[in-house]
Amino acid sequence: MDCDDARVLMHGHLDGELDLAADLEVQRHIEECPRCVSEYAALRAMRTRLRDEEFRFEVPPALREKIRHAIPASPRSRPAPQRSGAYQAQRGPWIPRAIRFALPMAIGAMLALIIAPHTTGPSVDQRLAGEVVASHVRSLMATHLMDVASTDQHTVKPWFNGKLDFSPPVTDFAKDGFPLMGGRLDYIDGRPVAALVYQHGKHVINVFMWPGAGATTGAERIETEHGYNVEQLIVVGMNCWLVSDLNRQELDKFAGLLRARG
Ligand SMILES: [Zn+2]
């Protein structure tokens, strides 16, 4: 297989649409060819980006109007056509009435599909809040709360070295009643993240961190999701999500400690 073939087939390979033999051949070429491997990586990255909800947009009213104008008007608003040869030559082929009605409906349905996910689907923040709560619950249920169990920030912080492409800030707040318990690797928003585990009384607090301000402008907020309190903030440039069954006031106090450090 040469590069030209590989480039055509790698789309099918990515979407799992090839038969086994072709699939293996493309796979082998990609693995061996430095040019195609980068092409394939770019393709895969693009597909991931396109799935991002940030890329969905609402159809501007002007465009919606344009499409509406492009649709043939309903037959009632036009004089009844005279079915003469001259008329047909002048007006082009006669469009069956059913199609003239179906076309606007089809376009309407298409617009609804484009608009609906944006207006009725969860926002990026809502989705992330759901993800961090799910991770929090999983960490408590699966006896996989910590990969590194230590109250020593100088043990926990270096533990992340080489496991993540960033170094999360780790501070013990034992003096303030929020002792560090440890940390683990987790997976949020399609990427590996640091999860720090703190304790307050009998409550566990998971702090998920990854670089970048994320989808929001960094506005701090606290909300309740499935009975858990979730707070989002930015700490030293890290997107930071706190989840706990701790009450809002106490979680907010803990967020204040994190913020003060940054
Ligand atoms: Zn190639």
Side-chain angles (χ1 to χ4, degrees):
M1 177 172 294
D2 62 15
C3 290
D4 287 343
D5 290 339
R7 288 196 184 176
V8 172
L9 289 173
M10 67 173 61
H11 296 266
H13 177 66
L14 189 63
D15 295 329
E17 290 165 346
L18 302 181
D19 63 68
L20 187 61
D23 205 51
L24 287 173
E25 226 179 313
V26 176
Q27 176 71 37
R28 198 163 45 226
H29 181 91
I30 291 168
E31 279 167 7
E32 288 167 357
C33 173
R35 275 171 57 208
C36 288
V37 77
S38 59
E39 179 107 347
Y40 185 67
L43 199 64
R44 207 159 55 173
M46 185 176 72
R47 188 174 73 157
T48 309
R49 289 298 286 155
L50 284 176
R51 283 181 178 170
D52 199 316
E53 289 178 43
E54 283 176 68
F55 280 85
R56 292 177 193 273
F57 71 98
E58 204 160 346
V59 179
L63 176 61
R64 216 176 307 177
E65 268 313 297
K66 248 180 167 173
I67 294 172
R68 202 165 284 154
H69 282 297
I71 298 167
S74 78
R76 226 172 290 173
S77 66
R78 279 189 187 166
Q82 304 141 5
R83 302 267 163 74
S84 70
Y87 174 82
Q88 284 198 21
Q90 196 188 343
R91 300 296 302 259
W94 177 70
I95 303 168
R97 181 175 278 238
I99 291 180
R100 276 199 277 181
F101 280 116
L103 194 63
M105 280 172 72
I107 292 175
M110 259 160 58
L111 282 179
L113 280 174
I114 295 168
I115 297 164
H118 186 78
T119 52
T120 61
S123 72
V124 174
D125 281 351
Q126 277 173 316
R127 181 173 53 78
L128 282 178
E131 266 194 63
V132 296
V133 167
S135 273
H136 175 76
V137 172
R138 211 160 43 230
S139 75
L140 299 177
M141 276 171 26
T143 62
H144 181 212
L145 187 55
M146 288 169 280
D147 289 328
V148 51
S150 171
T151 57
D152 181 6
Q153 62 200 51
H154 303 293
T155 303
V156 176
K157 188 176 169 66
W159 180 84
F160 286 107
N161 288 347
K163 298 181 179 74
L164 293 168
D165 57 1
F166 63 95
S167 182
V170 182
T171 311
D172 180 25
F173 296 108
K175 284 201 303 283
D176 307 283
F178 295 90
L180 175 69
M181 304 305 290
R184 70 172 189 283
L185 281 184
D186 216 308
Y187 204 75
I188 302 282
D189 199 25
R191 63 158 300 151
V193 303
L196 299 177
V197 183
Y198 289 89
Q199 200 170 17
H200 185 69
K202 286 181 179 169
H203 305 276
V204 169
I205 307 167
N206 263 297
V207 179
F208 298 93
M209 283 188 187
W210 63 96
T216 68
T217 51
E220 288 150 19
R221 61 207 183 87
I222 186 160
E223 61 176 65
T224 309
E225 185 101 7
H226 297 292
Y228 293 95
N229 284 317
V230 181
E231 181 151 1
Q232 184 198 10
L233 62 153
I234 304 294
V235 176
V236 290
M238 296 271 168
N239 201 4
C240 200
W241 289 74
L242 281 50
V243 195
S244 182
D245 59 344
L246 202 60
N247 65 55
R248 279 167 174 244
Q249 290 72 28
E250 303 243 60
L251 191 63
D252 203 38
K253 185 182 161 197
F254 179 63
L257 293 171
L258 281 173
R259 210 177 296 133
R261 181 194 51 191

PDB file of all heavy atoms in Angstrom, residues 3 29 33 36, ligand 1:
ATOM      1  N   CYS A   3       1.248   5.660   0.018  1.00  0.00           N
ATOM      2  CA  CYS A   3       0.696   6.739   0.844  1.00  0.00           C
ATOM      3  C   CYS A   3      -0.653   7.220   0.310  1.00  0.00           C
ATOM      4  O   CYS A   3      -1.545   7.560   1.091  1.00  0.00           O
ATOM      5  CB  CYS A   3       1.673   7.904   0.909  1.00  0.00           C
ATOM      6  SG  CYS A   3       3.137   7.500   1.867  1.00  0.00           S
ATOM      7  N   HIS A  29       0.626   0.323   7.436  1.00  0.00           N
ATOM      8  CA  HIS A  29       1.257   1.428   6.718  1.00  0.00           C
ATOM      9  C   HIS A  29       1.432   2.636   7.630  1.00  0.00           C
ATOM     10  O   HIS A  29       2.484   3.263   7.653  1.00  0.00           O
ATOM     11  CB  HIS A  29       0.442   1.819   5.478  1.00  0.00           C
ATOM     12  CG  HIS A  29       1.072   2.943   4.712  1.00  0.00           C
ATOM     13  ND1 HIS A  29       1.969   2.741   3.695  1.00  0.00           N
ATOM     14  CD2 HIS A  29       0.984   4.294   4.874  1.00  0.00           C
ATOM     15  CE1 HIS A  29       2.390   3.914   3.245  1.00  0.00           C
ATOM     16  NE2 HIS A  29       1.797   4.874   3.933  1.00  0.00           N
ATOM     17  N   CYS A  33       4.943   4.407   8.331  1.00  0.00           N
ATOM     18  CA  CYS A  33       5.196   5.589   7.506  1.00  0.00           C
ATOM     19  C   CYS A  33       5.095   6.857   8.342  1.00  0.00           C
ATOM     20  O   CYS A  33       4.035   7.187   8.852  1.00  0.00           O
ATOM     21  CB  CYS A  33       4.183   5.626   6.361  1.00  0.00           C
ATOM     22  SG  CYS A  33       4.283   7.135   5.401  1.00  0.00           S
ATOM     23  N   CYS A  36       2.457   9.413   7.039  1.00  0.00           N
ATOM     24  CA  CYS A  36       1.060   9.049   7.242  1.00  0.00           C
ATOM     25  C   CYS A  36       0.695   9.012   8.729  1.00  0.00           C
ATOM     26  O   CYS A  36      -0.447   9.267   9.088  1.00  0.00           O
ATOM     27  CB  CYS A  36       0.742   7.715   6.580  1.00  0.00           C
ATOM     28  SG  CYS A  36       0.689   7.866   4.791  1.00  0.00           S
TER      29      CYS A  36
HETATM   30 ZN    ZN B   1       2.522   6.791   3.909  1.00  0.00          ZN
END
